[in-house]
Amino acid sequence: MTSSTSGRASSRPHTLLTVLLALFLVLLLAFFVLFTGKVASGASELSDGAERASTGAGDLKAGAEKAQTGAKDLSEGTEKVDAGANTLAKGIGSAKAGVTTLKEGATTLDEGAVKLLTGAEAANEGANKLAAGATNARTGAGTLTAGAYSAADGANTLAAGATTAREGSDRLATGANDLHTGMEPLVSGSQLLADKSKEAVAGIGQLAPGAESVNGGALKMWNAIHATPGKDGNTAYTNIRNDLVSYQPGATSKGVEQLRGLAKLYALDPIASGAFTQAADKLEGLEWLVAGLDNGITGYDPAVDGPTPYHLTANGTPQVDAQGLLYGTGAVSAGLTELNTKAPALSEGAQTAANGVKTAYDGAGTLSGGAAELNTGLKTLETGAYTLAEGNGKLATGAGTLATGLDTLETGAYTLADGNYKIYDGTISLSDGTSRLVTGTESLDEGVVKLDDGGKTLTAGTSDLKDGAKKLADGNTELAEGSKTLADGNGKISEGADTMRASTTALTPGEIFTSPKILAVLIPLLLLLVPIGMLIAGTRRGNQH
């Protein structure tokens, strides 16, 4: 009992030691297998990571170099930004002055726009009045044109009548001169007859032809007035009788009144007005002279004989009375004829005839001088009438041109009125715009103040940016150097990882069982068999006791 008990006691420590040793070896083997697997996997990952780290380090190096270059560019850029900020600050100062000037100019412009609006309104009103005045002027020009053409027609008629009167006065002057010349022997003969009645037969023989010449000259003057038509187909008697209110000197003349009316119508044209006035005066004198001569020849007196002048009798012969020259020359001629046949009454008749012939001779002289003056005046009147007609033609043409020009003026005036209205409307918009411009310049002034503050902040910021760029450049230089060192270290890590992976690959179970390194596993196992064997032996011995 004692020996078996002691044998069991002595075997228990061996058993425990063997079990513990076996467990330790199993755990050691398990740990070795697990550790070598993990190390191999970690070595593989480390190798891959080392390669990636090496690649990243290379990229980091390249990036660091680029960052260094960029930092240099950034530094240069910040210099330019700083210079630009300074320039901007100066520009903002100039802009502030410009905005002040702009603000003042906008205020002035707004005031000017208000004045322009007032002026445009006045111009618009004036243009409308101008257009209305142009319309009235065009209407007046039309009336003036019509009057000018009427005046031209009247002047042409006057010119034709003046020519007729002048031609009649030519014949009248010739007849009056012939009368005066023809009466010279009559005067001398009648006086001789009176002085020498004894020689009555001889004197009457000489006086009869002279009396006949006087009578013929008076008849020529009557024919020149009553029986010689002019270019218009009328005689001087017909034209003057129709023109004078009363057929006598001093009577009112319708044609003269018409000419004087034209002179008033053309009062604005001194030349035309003067020509009309001169023509009226000459025509009046001519008509009065012809009427007076005619009345002297026929013996017509409106106060005695009524309103109808003498012209022709029912038999077609000249109508005269005892107060007329034609009657007197006829009577003288008839008397001398009768004296020539009735010598007994020669002395008394001769004295009477001498007195009548003397009177007739004086009248013929006066008639001859007046006829000459009349002829001269009629020539002047004729020239003036044709000049007047020509001037009236030009005046009519000019009036037509004036009317055309006033039409154009009227059109232009209405166009001007329309344009001024548009200007007026535009100035309203301009005034509104200038008011907004004033408001905008005030806002711009506030914005420039804020811009100035921002420019100052920008200047300060660019200074900080310069400092930061300099520090960044220095840091990038250090980063480049560190990235180079990192790249070198990563290369070495990659090499060590490759070596470690190769070593751990050799310790894997597959490699161990296929290589001499299996001994590193077998030897511990063999050693483990020794205590196991001792344990087994001790157990058997204990069982035997």
Side-chain angles (χ1 to χ4, degrees):
M1 287 295 287
T2 305
S3 60
S4 76
T5 303
S6 62
R8 288 191 190 116
S10 61
S11 63
R12 285 179 183 173
H14 294 289
T15 301
L16 180 60
L17 179 61
T18 300
V19 171
L20 290 175
L21 181 60
L23 290 173
F24 174 75
L25 290 176
V26 171
L27 291 174
L28 179 63
L29 181 60
F31 175 76
F32 176 76
V33 172
L34 180 62
F35 175 75
T36 54
K38 294 286 187 180
V39 170
S41 176
S44 178
E45 292 178 0
L46 178 62
S47 179
D48 293 339
E51 290 180 359
R52 293 178 183 178
S54 179
T55 302
D59 294 339
L60 177 62
K61 180 180 179 182
E65 292 176 352
K66 292 181 180 180
Q68 187 177 16
T69 303
K72 182 179 180 182
D73 294 339
L74 176 62
S75 178
E76 294 175 355
T78 53
E79 292 289 341
K80 294 179 181 179
V81 170
D82 184 54
N86 292 330
T87 303
L88 177 62
K90 295 179 181 178
I92 290 172
S94 300
K96 287 177 66 178
V99 166
T100 301
T101 305
L102 176 61
K103 186 176 180 181
E104 295 173 355
T107 302
T108 304
L109 179 60
D110 185 52
E111 295 173 354
V114 174
K115 295 180 180 179
L116 178 61
L117 178 62
T118 303
E121 184 177 3
N124 185 49
E125 181 180 356
N128 290 329
K129 292 181 179 179
L130 175 62
T135 300
N136 294 333
R138 179 183 59 77
T139 303
T143 304
L144 176 62
T145 301
Y149 279 110
S150 298
D153 293 339
N156 290 327
T157 303
L158 174 64
T163 300
T164 302
R166 194 262 309 158
E167 292 173 350
S169 72
D170 287 341
R171 292 189 290 272
L172 178 62
T174 301
N177 187 55
D178 291 343
L179 175 63
H180 186 261
T181 302
M183 288 186 70
E184 289 180 359
L186 178 62
V187 171
S188 60
S190 63
Q191 187 61 44
L192 182 61
L193 177 63
D195 293 339
K196 298 180 179 182
S197 56
K198 294 181 179 181
E199 300 176 0
V201 175
I204 290 172
Q206 295 177 0
L207 187 60
E212 185 178 358
S213 297
V214 171
N215 187 49
L219 185 60
K220 286 181 180 180
M221 287 191 293
W222 185 91
N223 286 330
I225 297 173
H226 289 266
T228 305
K231 291 183 178 181
D232 59 351
N234 296 326
T235 62
Y237 164 78
T238 301
N239 287 331
I240 295 174
R241 181 197 64 188
N242 293 333
D243 203 31
L244 292 176
V245 176
S246 176
Y247 193 75
Q248 61 180 336
T252 301
S253 171
K254 299 175 183 177
V256 170
E257 291 300 317
Q258 183 179 10
L259 288 173
R260 286 175 178 163
L262 290 173
K264 292 180 180 179
L265 179 62
Y266 290 92
L268 297 178
D269 187 351
I271 296 175
S273 179
F276 280 120
T277 301
Q278 186 179 15
D281 294 338
K282 290 180 179 180
L283 178 61
E284 184 177 57
L286 173 63
E287 289 181 338
W288 288 354
L289 178 60
V290 172
L293 289 173
D294 191 29
N295 290 345
I297 292 171
T298 62
Y300 170 74
D301 184 1
V304 178
D305 302 319
T308 304
Y310 289 163
H311 183 44
L312 294 173
T313 64
N315 298 326
T317 59
Q319 183 181 4
V320 295
D321 63 16
Q323 284 74 36
L325 176 64
L326 187 59
Y327 176 86
T329 57
V332 169
S333 179
L336 287 175
T337 301
E338 187 176 359
L339 281 174
N340 197 28
T341 58
K342 297 180 179 181
L346 177 61
S347 180
E348 184 179 355
Q351 186 60 49
T352 302
N355 294 335
V357 168
K358 181 65 171 65
T359 301
Y361 178 75
D362 292 340
T366 302
L367 178 62
S368 179
E373 292 178 359
L374 173 63
N375 185 257
T376 302
L378 285 174
K379 288 180 180 179
T380 304
L381 176 62
E382 181 183 18
T383 302
Y386 280 106
T387 302
L388 176 62
E390 182 181 0
N392 276 327
K394 294 180 179 179
L395 180 62
T397 302
T401 304
L402 175 61
T404 302
L406 286 173
D407 285 337
T408 304
L409 175 62
E410 182 184 16
T411 302
Y414 280 105
T415 302
L416 175 62
D418 183 62
N420 275 326
Y421 177 77
K422 292 179 180 178
I423 291 175
Y424 173 66
D425 187 58
T427 52
I428 294 176
S429 300
L430 175 62
S431 179
D432 181 64
T434 52
S435 298
R436 295 182 181 181
L437 178 61
V438 171
T439 304
T441 52
E442 293 175 354
S443 300
L444 178 62
D445 186 29
E446 296 176 359
V448 168
V449 171
K450 294 179 180 179
L451 181 62
D452 184 47
D453 295 337
K456 293 177 181 178
T457 303
L458 176 63
T459 302
T462 53
S463 178
D464 296 338
L465 180 62
K466 285 175 64 179
D467 295 338
K470 184 176 180 181
K471 293 178 180 179
L472 177 61
D474 296 338
N476 279 327
T477 301
E478 295 176 359
L479 176 62
E481 294 176 355
S483 62
K484 182 179 180 181
T485 303
L486 177 61
D488 294 339
N490 279 327
K492 293 179 179 180
I493 290 174
S494 179
E495 293 176 358
D498 290 339
T499 303
M500 182 178 178
R501 183 173 60 180
S503 298
T504 55
T505 300
L507 294 177
T508 59
E511 291 292 330
I512 291 173
F513 289 115
T514 58
S515 68
K517 295 178 181 178
I518 188 62
L519 296 176
V521 178
L522 294 177
I523 289 173
L525 290 176
L526 292 175
L527 293 176
L528 180 61
L529 291 175
V530 173
I532 291 174
M534 292 177 63
L535 179 60
I536 293 172
T539 301
R540 287 178 178 177
R541 281 195 304 267
N543 290 333
Q544 289 176 359
H545 289 289

